[in-house]
Amino acid sequence: MRADSLLEVYALSDCTVLKFGGTSVADAAACARVAGIVREHGGPRPVVVVSALARMTDALFACARAAADGDVAGASRRLDDQLDRHTELAQALLRPDTAAGFHEELARARSHLTGLFGRLGSRSEEAAALQDEVASFGERLSASLLAAVLAAAGLPTYAVDARRCIVTDTTYGRANPMPADTERRTRAELVPLLDASLVPVLGGYIAATQAGRTTTLGRGGSDYSAALVGAALDAREIQIWTDVSGVLTADPRVVPAARPIPRLSYAEAAELAYFGARVLHPKSIQPATDRGIPVRICNSRAPQDPGTLVDAEPDVRPGAVKAIAHKTGVTVLQVVSSRMLGAYGFLRALFEVFDRHRTEVDVVTTSEVSVSLTLEHARALPAIVSELKSLGDVSVEPDRAIVCVVGEGLRTTPGVAARIFSTIQDINVSLISQGASRVNLTFVIEEDRVREAVQQLHAAFFEREPVPVAADVATGGAAC
Ligand code: ASP
Ligand code: MG
């Protein structure tokens, strides 16, 4: 490796990506806090990625829908309400001359967007591309605004158009990034700024095709942008600043004593994501996972809280369990068929039924003659059941809940399953599965007993002195 590229690698690995969600820039007080966070937590070379102001993207989509239905005037009114929020923030946080520059940008955005509304109204073939163009203004404006706000607070910033960095295919609304081009362009845009001691501020969620047309990465895509930028720069850490102090040990609405988990492995975080725990979507941190870059989830309202660090380390806590997640509104389907015995093609035929009805299956267990599986959104249930009947006897159990106990320790600690099931021994468990990642134990119970089960498990694993699991089982001491 040449000396200058060695130097580049050294300098790059020093940068930290800080992503701020919509609530972190929701009002003047929140924006003002961001400056302190970048200073204290951004290390020597911070890079800022920001979402649109809270509710802005929803509003832009509503405008696009209204416009497509022919109500361009309604769309423009709605847009003005949103632009006014930006104006108020600029007035509160910027010096008059800088605020004036931003007002001009708002005026340009307004005229550009009204033009787009008109084109949407003509039921253009290009509706999906136009919609992305409309939605992109949320992050384009928040990035300019935040760059100016940080500059006013004494941080030397530079607003970067993220569409010059993230390159995607043409799947509008949910575009797929092209990693090599994204890396090359992101480095070309950001490294000179970092070298000049400037803090780049980019909008999340937005990107462009090779040909330069605006795309978006799908709703909630700013985390994905942060991971892509972090991977391109080989960042030392990616910080996701949100409004909770990290991932919690359980849903706090069910377990008031739930507390933040200090550390999770990528595999644990991925298992928890399905349960809507406030974790990152596994896809959105994949670029970081691939490079082993740590991702920290932090609270912008309580910046001193340590948050949750997600990285490759399979850290095992005493007691082995890190989190107890659950989900209600689950339906269990069981198909029993002697045709399965010693035959192939049965599971394929079974899953084709779900495929045809575009229905996602979450947990699956099989025996020689039966398959049990869970569905969450069972709109197509009657049709699915009637098709499955050609494969075997079908039974449906509605109103079930999934409980998922997660911890790297499950791979290595004997007796955890015994402790889990003895803790909830008076609750009937209908389906048990341990994923291939072996960091989770998932089971299904009746929905109306799920609060009790989660509370008991949380008490056993988190609210009492940790007892070595093996000893526990030997003395039978795990039961509540
Ligand atoms: N602003 C976009 C959305 O609301 C992206 C994001 O916030 O992550 O979906
Ligand atoms: Mg988000």
Side-chain angles (χ1 to χ4, degrees):
M1 195 182 277
R2 288 202 348 248
D4 54 348
S5 47
L6 245 176
L7 260 177
E8 188 186 53
V9 169
Y10 173 75
L12 278 176
S13 58
D14 233 14
C15 81
T16 304
V17 176
L18 299 93
K19 180 258 169 175
F20 294 93
T23 53
S24 304
V25 288
D27 52 39
C31 287
R33 275 195 301 268
V34 171
I37 293 173
V38 174
R39 252 199 206 96
E40 272 181 43
H41 302 270
R45 287 157 79 89
V47 175
V48 172
V49 175
V50 63
S51 292
L53 303 196
R55 299 180 306 282
M56 173 72 170
T57 311
D58 287 337
L60 288 170
F61 275 110
C63 292
R65 269 194 308 275
D69 290 342
D71 183 12
V72 174
S76 302
R77 264 197 314 278
R78 242 194 142 115
L79 172 66
D80 284 340
D81 291 344
Q82 292 302 319
L83 297 181
D84 287 349
R85 286 170 62 206
H86 290 74
T87 309
E88 282 158 25
L89 280 179
Q91 269 158 358
L93 294 164
L94 303 180
R95 278 203 314 271
D97 52 332
T98 337
F102 184 66
H103 294 328
E104 278 166 28
E105 184 172 347
L106 286 174
R108 280 195 300 275
R110 186 179 194 285
S111 86
H112 191 152
L113 280 162
T114 348
L116 290 168
F117 294 162
R119 286 165 65 196
L120 273 162
S122 61
R123 299 217 165 266
S124 156
E125 304 249 288
E126 301 195 287
L130 291 177
Q131 215 174 58
D132 269 2
E133 186 72 35
V134 168
S136 74
F137 275 89
E139 272 72 8
R140 284 155 73 173
L141 293 173
S142 67
S144 290
L145 180 61
L146 187 63
V149 167
L150 295 180
L155 280 161
T157 54
Y158 193 93
V160 177
D161 188 337
R163 295 172 300 166
R164 297 173 61 87
C165 298
I166 317 270
V167 186
T168 68
D169 65 8
T170 56
T171 316
Y172 296 101
R174 217 175 219 305
N176 302 297
M178 303 163 97
D181 290 330
T182 296
E183 179 169 321
R184 189 174 43 74
R185 290 208 202 169
T186 302
R187 286 186 175 216
E189 288 291 323
L190 301 190
V191 172
L193 299 173
L194 290 166
D195 285 344
S197 299
L198 292 170
V199 179
V201 180
L202 311 77
Y205 176 60
I206 61 174
T209 63
Q210 295 274 19
R213 279 209 82 161
T214 303
T215 56
T216 64
L217 302 177
R219 295 307 305 270
S222 295
D223 294 342
Y224 199 9
S225 303
L228 289 163
V229 171
L233 297 178
D234 208 7
R236 64 174 186 178
E237 185 169 286
I238 297 164
Q239 299 170 357
I240 306 291
W241 290 88
T242 170
D243 56 358
V244 284
S245 292
V247 184
L248 299 181
T249 48
D251 183 339
R253 288 166 300 187
V254 173
V255 181
R259 51 176 186 255
I261 305 166
R263 196 152 188 186
L264 284 173
S265 66
Y266 296 126
E268 289 171 327
E271 293 292 350
L272 286 172
Y274 164 72
F275 292 90
R278 307 281 298 262
V279 205
L280 311 151
H281 194 284
K283 182 183 156 199
S284 72
I285 59 164
Q286 194 63 47
T289 313
D290 291 344
R291 299 232 174 171
I293 300 173
V295 180
R296 193 186 289 276
I297 301 158
C298 315
N299 188 347
S300 56
R301 294 192 186 133
Q304 296 315 327
D305 286 0
T308 299
L309 182 69
V310 183
D311 65 8
E313 207 57 44
D315 157 64
V316 175
R317 76 176 278 279
V321 171
K322 296 252 188 87
I324 298 152
H326 73 280
K327 189 158 235 163
T328 52
V330 170
T331 300
V332 174
L333 278 185
Q334 289 184 354
V335 185
V336 180
S337 169
S338 51
R339 270 175 54 194
M340 249 182 105
L341 194 63
Y344 58 86
F346 181 86
L347 286 176
R348 183 177 49 94
L350 182 104
F351 282 107
E352 273 170 3
V353 175
F354 296 96
D355 197 34
R356 273 198 294 283
H357 293 280
R358 302 177 139 271
T359 298
E360 211 177 301
V361 172
D362 298 311
V363 184
V364 184
T365 61
T366 66
S367 75
E368 271 310 325
V369 291
S370 73
V371 181
S372 304
L373 36 84
T374 68
L375 310 178
E376 205 187 320
H377 303 291
R379 270 185 307 273
L381 190 64
I384 290 173
V385 170
S386 91
E387 285 189 39
L388 288 176
K389 281 188 176 149
S390 65
L391 295 170
D393 294 333
V394 183
S395 65
V396 180
E397 298 174 4
D399 307 322
R400 294 295 190 268
I402 298 178
V403 178
C404 177
V405 178
V406 174
E408 285 283 347
L410 267 68
R411 292 188 217 250
T412 47
T413 320
V416 186
R419 185 163 180 207
I420 292 169
F421 293 118
S422 60
T423 300
I424 53 159
Q425 59 191 338
D426 60 330
I427 298 177
N428 194 26
V429 174
S430 62
L431 182 163
I432 302 175
S433 121
Q434 180 159 36
S437 64
R438 290 178 56 219
V439 301
N440 72 317
L441 190 89
T442 303
F443 54 90
V444 175
I445 59 180
E446 280 172 19
E447 194 172 69
D448 56 12
R449 304 215 55 190
V450 73
R451 291 180 75 84
E452 190 189 335
V454 172
Q455 285 161 356
Q456 285 174 1
L457 288 167
H458 197 272
F461 283 96
F462 296 99
E463 294 162 47
R464 295 190 199 124
E465 283 301 298
V467 195
V469 177
D472 220 357
V473 172
T475 59
C480 280

